[in-house]
């Protein structure tokens, strides 16, 4: 299954959501500006990403260029405060939300369902992330690998006493209620995502 989950597709979705939110700075904004926002968020300390931080300070390349082209006497700053909610929402829509057929997690699970039953566990233990998005977003939230592994377990109805998994199932980050239809679709993969008798995790994402 081929879905638009590359880094450029992610940046376009981020920009679309900022446009929908009517952010004043989006007029004339480019993907380069959005990339600057993403990198500013990724470089934010983990403690800030997991708490109630709603805005971040970003220097937008487009505004920097405009500032350089104006009179030297201009005091306009190219650094602005940007809401992080559209950014987080785009990350979940493109990569994590297993109720969306266009998300990466949905594509992974759909591919596993299409595999012979005896090969499903092996397939989910050998997911390889490649490309710019896997590098640029590696530290997004709890980490792209962790976020996706938790989403896959939650989609299959697998739960443990582990706080991380429970937090993912409660969907605290994006507060999106996942339909029961989406949950039922991947229930047959529940055994494949659980730990084996040897304690080996059923879902393992690796970076190339």
């Amino acid at each position: 299954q081929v879905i638009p989950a590359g880094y450029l597709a992610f940046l376009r979705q981020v920009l679309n959501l900022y446009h929908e939110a009517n952010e004043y700075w989006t007029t004339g904004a480019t993907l380069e500006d959005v990339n600057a926002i993403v990198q500013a968020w990724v470089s934010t300390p983990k403690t800030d990403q997991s708490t109630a931080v709603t805005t971040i300070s970003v220097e937008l390349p487009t505004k920097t260029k405009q500032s350089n082209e104006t009179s030297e006497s201009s005091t306009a700053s190219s650094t602005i405060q940007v809401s992080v909610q559209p950014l987080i929402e785009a990350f979940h829509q493109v990569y994590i939300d297993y109720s969306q057929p266009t998300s990466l997690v949905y594509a992974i699970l759909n591919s596993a369902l299409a595999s012979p039953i005896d090969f499903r566990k092996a397939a989910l233990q050998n997911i390889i992330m490649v490309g710019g998005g896997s590098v640029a977003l590696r530290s997004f939230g709890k980490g792209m690998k962790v976020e996706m592994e938790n989403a896959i377990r939650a989609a299959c109805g697998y739960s443990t006493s582990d706080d991380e998994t429970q937090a993912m199932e409660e969907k605290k980050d994006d507060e999106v209620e996942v339909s029961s239809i989406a949950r039922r679709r991947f229930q047959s993969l529940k055994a494949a995502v659980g730990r084996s008798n040897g304690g080996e995790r059923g879902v393992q994402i690796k970076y190339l």
Side-chain angles (χ1 to χ4, degrees), residues 118-180:
D118 292 342
F119 292 97
R120 290 176 179 178
K121 193 175 188 70
L124 290 170
Q125 288 178 330
N126 292 279
I127 301 169
I128 308 297
M129 297 285 291
V130 297
S134 65
V135 176
L137 301 174
R138 191 166 296 190
S139 299
F140 199 103
K142 297 173 183 175
M144 190 175 194
K145 165 182 159 64
V146 174
E147 296 276 9
M148 290 187 60
E149 287 179 347
N150 286 344
I152 289 172
R153 292 188 188 97
C156 300
Y158 181 81
S159 63
T160 67
S161 59
D162 184 78
D163 291 338
E164 246 179 21
T165 304
Q166 287 183 346
M168 184 60 210
E169 290 178 341
E170 291 167 9
K171 305 289 283 183
K172 289 181 178 178
D173 289 336
D174 58 351
E175 297 181 351
V176 174
E177 183 178 351
V178 180
S179 71
S180 58

Side-chain angles (χ1 to χ4, degrees), residues 3-193:
I3 47 99
Y7 189 54
L8 283 180
F10 168 68
L11 292 180
R12 292 190 189 100
Q13 182 62 6
V14 173
L15 185 56
N16 288 338
L17 292 180
Y18 275 121
H19 276 305
E20 291 177 8
N22 294 317
E23 293 275 343
Y24 72 91
W25 57 268
T26 57
T27 302
T30 65
L31 293 184
E32 187 181 9
D33 294 322
V34 178
N35 181 57
I37 295 171
V38 172
Q39 296 310 309
W41 177 243
V42 169
S43 62
T44 301
K46 292 294 184 189
T47 52
D48 291 341
Q49 286 193 33
S50 61
T51 55
V53 174
T54 57
T55 62
I56 53 175
S57 181
V58 185
E59 184 173 337
L60 299 182
T62 297
K63 289 193 172 293
T64 300
K65 187 180 299 183
Q66 291 172 349
S67 178
N68 291 337
E69 292 172 352
T70 59
S71 170
E72 292 182 1
S73 61
S74 174
T75 58
S77 173
S78 58
T79 301
I80 63 171
Q81 290 294 314
V82 178
S83 169
V84 300
Q85 190 54 43
L87 177 61
I88 296 172
E89 185 177 343
F91 181 81
H92 282 280
Q93 288 178 358
V94 175
Y95 298 107
I96 303 299
D97 189 355
Y98 51 83
S99 69
Q100 296 293 329
T102 55
S103 76
L104 184 55
V105 162
Y106 186 101
I108 290 171
L109 291 170
N110 218 32
S111 296
L113 276 179
S115 303
I117 293 178
D118 292 342
F119 292 97
R120 290 176 179 178
K121 193 175 188 70
L124 290 170
Q125 288 178 330
N126 292 279
I127 301 169
I128 308 297
M129 297 285 291
V130 297
S134 65
V135 176
L137 301 174
R138 191 166 296 190
S139 299
F140 199 103
K142 297 173 183 175
M144 190 175 194
K145 165 182 159 64
V146 174
E147 296 276 9
M148 290 187 60
E149 287 179 347
N150 286 344
I152 289 172
R153 292 188 188 97
C156 300
Y158 181 81
S159 63
T160 67
S161 59
D162 184 78
D163 291 338
E164 246 179 21
T165 304
Q166 287 183 346
M168 184 60 210
E169 290 178 341
E170 291 167 9
K171 305 289 283 183
K172 289 181 178 178
D173 289 336
D174 58 351
E175 297 181 351
V176 174
E177 183 178 351
V178 180
S179 71
S180 58
I181 295 176
R183 286 186 180 279
R184 287 198 297 270
R185 178 178 180 81
F186 301 116
Q187 288 298 301
S188 60
L189 294 173
K190 185 175 182 179
V193 301

